[in-house]
Amino acid sequence: MAAPPRSYNPFAADEEEAAEVAAAGGAERQRYLQREVLRRSAATADSTARSLALLYESERVGVAASEELVRQGEVLKRTEQMVDKMDQDLKTSQRHINSIKSVFGGLVSYFKPKPPDSKPEQNGAPEYNAHSRLKEAMMSSKEQESKYQESHPNLRRLDNSDNDFSRTDSVSSVQRDAYPKNQHLRAYHQKIDNNLDEMSSGLSRLKNLALGLQTEIEEQDDMLDRLTKKVETLDVNIASTDKKVRQL
């Protein structure tokens, strides 16, 4: 019986099989890691998209609150005009009462210079100008209304482009080199970057909107204080006029 060659290794077949299993396991692990990276990138892109939708929703609510605040300012302006008109009418009534109480009231009133005629009240809503800071912020936010409709789950258009990987071809070569080589992963990274850039712009618009609201509220607070003083003065004058009428 011939002896086996000296270079023969009885465990060579097992080692080759183990190497093949290890290589297959490494390839499978690599594919698993690739799928995991894609899954997490997709989840991150979806998360930034949801955050962006919430940002658009907050901006829409801020615009609605701003419009309501402007309408409130118009009401305050109209109320102030009515109080001024009532005060002017009350002063005219007081002059007539004083002329009636005096025997020589007619002569005094004849030689007394007439007060300047008040301007007639304009028809329609009074002209009210909100603060320029608030108006500019509202205009900037209203331009994003279409983006809000696209991002809202109930208003989103059917041609959703979240998974449109062909859009990555429009980026420059320098930007393309900064993203991964995998087409799908590159598209997710670009989507995340675009969402983050838009979130930064949206937060800036929300800040301007909040500052505009603060300025408008401060101005309306001053208007309320001024209106309160006018109403208090008018109430005192009405009581004084009523007392004079009762003494006739």
Side-chain angles (χ1 to χ4, degrees):
M1 182 175 180
R6 294 181 179 180
S7 62
Y8 174 75
N9 185 358
F11 302 102
D14 295 339
E15 291 178 356
E16 291 178 359
E17 183 178 357
E20 292 177 359
V21 172
E28 180 63 26
R29 177 172 177 78
Q30 185 177 5
R31 288 193 295 270
Y32 168 77
L33 292 177
Q34 290 177 350
R35 291 195 299 269
E36 186 67 15
V37 170
L38 286 175
R39 185 187 67 81
R40 295 195 178 188
S41 298
T44 304
D46 291 340
S47 177
T48 56
R50 288 192 297 270
S51 300
L52 190 58
L54 292 174
L55 187 63
Y56 287 144
E57 173 68 16
S58 301
E59 197 169 359
R60 189 183 67 88
V61 173
V63 170
S66 301
E67 292 176 345
E68 184 62 29
L69 189 62
V70 172
R71 285 193 292 269
Q72 177 178 301
E74 294 174 354
V75 173
L76 289 175
K77 182 68 175 179
R78 183 164 55 249
T79 303
E80 187 174 14
Q81 288 182 344
M82 292 175 61
V83 171
D84 292 340
K85 183 66 168 56
M86 292 174 63
D87 184 67
Q88 185 67 29
D89 293 341
L90 188 61
K91 290 179 180 179
T92 303
S93 300
Q94 288 177 345
R95 286 195 298 269
H96 291 322
I97 292 173
N98 292 334
S99 63
I100 293 174
K101 289 177 62 177
S102 175
V103 177
F104 302 100
L107 296 175
V108 173
S109 298
Y110 180 79
F111 292 104
K112 188 175 182 180
K114 295 182 179 180
D117 297 333
S118 58
K119 295 181 180 180
E121 185 178 0
Q122 297 179 354
N123 296 327
E127 182 180 359
Y128 176 78
N129 294 322
H131 196 274
S132 59
R133 190 173 195 175
L134 179 60
K135 292 193 294 185
E136 292 175 359
M138 289 174 61
M139 290 178 59
S140 177
S141 296
K142 283 183 177 180
E143 295 175 354
Q144 311 302 319
E145 182 66 22
S146 60
K147 294 183 179 180
Y148 162 74
Q149 294 179 359
E150 292 175 0
S151 64
H152 196 281
N154 296 331
L155 303 176
R156 185 177 298 164
R157 296 181 302 181
L158 294 179
D159 55 342
N160 193 351
S161 58
D162 288 346
N163 297 325
D164 186 5
F165 301 111
S166 62
R167 297 176 60 186
T168 58
D169 297 335
S170 61
V171 300
S172 63
S173 59
V174 177
Q175 291 175 327
R176 189 180 296 110
D177 294 338
Y179 292 111
K181 299 300 182 182
N182 184 281
Q183 181 182 8
H184 297 278
L185 188 60
R186 182 171 67 247
Y188 284 132
H189 282 209
Q190 184 184 3
K191 183 67 175 178
I192 292 170
D193 288 346
N194 292 338
N195 288 343
L196 291 177
D197 291 341
E198 186 59 32
M199 287 171 63
S200 176
S201 301
L203 289 173
S204 178
R205 291 193 301 271
L206 275 178
K207 176 184 176 182
N208 293 333
L209 197 61
L211 293 176
L213 283 169
Q214 179 183 2
T215 304
E216 181 67 19
I217 289 174
E218 290 175 354
E219 290 189 354
Q220 291 193 17
D221 283 342
D222 296 338
M223 187 184 300
L224 281 172
D225 294 339
R226 185 172 65 249
L227 183 59
T228 300
K229 293 179 181 179
K230 288 183 178 181
V231 171
E232 291 175 352
T233 302
L234 182 63
D235 184 63
V236 173
N237 292 337
I238 290 175
S240 177
T241 303
D242 181 71
K243 183 178 181 181
K244 290 179 180 180
V245 171
R246 294 178 182 275
Q247 291 176 353
L248 292 179

